[in-house]
Amino acid sequence: MSDRGLTQLGLVSALNKQYLTKFHQKDVSRWLNTGSKTATGTIGFPKYETMLIIADFFNVDVGYLTGETSESTFDLTKACAYTGLAPTSVLAIRKWIKAPGGSPDDALHDYRAATLNGMLSSNQFSELAAKMLTVYEMSEIWRTNPERFSGLMGSLAASSDLPDDLTFQLIISAFYGMASETFSSLLRNAFPTPSETEFARSQHAEA
């Protein structure tokens, strides 16, 4: 409700309009107080049919409403557990593959999925990930322990005859440069295009 900017009355109106139900504001109030103690006992969950309607409206699983999963769906929970990725990362990938604005264009959906599949299944992906890990570790040290970062940079620059600030920039650029070079190589490997000679040969063959 908070994410959608809905008040209790707003939710009632939306549910009744979409599902032709006859809920009242007091129903929403009771749902929101599930588990609370009253003079007559503990407020229980709504009927299962009602929870199905609420879950469908908010595009979540019933398990999210009952607290069985902290993510919006069990599929998301399983995906996060299997990959080790954060929910925000999994959702970002899913959102991009589904295309901007929720476009129903199946071809675009397939192309987007194929793009990521080609990159992640490349035999050079592990090499790129290792380079990215080095950059991440360097960034994380700087963020959490600036003194240690300075010490590491100092030790790397100790054998250089260049000024410290220039040496520092060269070292940082080298880390990012190695990752960029590997990424470029991965893209060429995963998504090959013809060389100038091959392209010219194909043009000649067509002629």
Side-chain angles (χ1 to χ4, degrees), residues 125-194:
F125 178 74
S126 59
E127 181 182 351
L128 172 62
K131 300 288 177 59
M132 292 170 61
L133 177 61
T134 299
V135 175
Y136 167 76
E137 290 174 334
M138 179 181 65
S139 176
E140 191 68 3
I141 292 173
W142 164 245
R143 188 181 67 83
T144 61
N145 194 337
E147 292 182 357
R148 183 187 173 202
F149 180 85
S150 297
L152 289 173
M153 289 298 107
S155 63
L156 289 174
S159 58
S160 173
D161 295 329
L162 298 172
D164 289 348
D165 57 343
L166 179 57
T167 301
F168 167 74
Q169 290 300 329
L170 289 173
I171 292 172
I172 296 299
S173 296
F175 280 123
Y176 284 107
M178 287 188 292
S180 297
E181 183 179 351
T182 303
F183 182 62
S184 178
S185 177
L186 181 152
L187 291 181
R188 292 179 180 279
N189 174 265
F191 313 117
T193 54

Side-chain angles (χ1 to χ4, degrees), residues 8 16 25 34 46 63 70 74 77 94 126 130 146 165 190-191:
Q8 293 185 20
N16 289 343
Q25 184 271 332
T34 296
S70 58
F74 284 112
T77 299
R94 176 178 169 80
S126 59
D165 57 343
F191 313 117

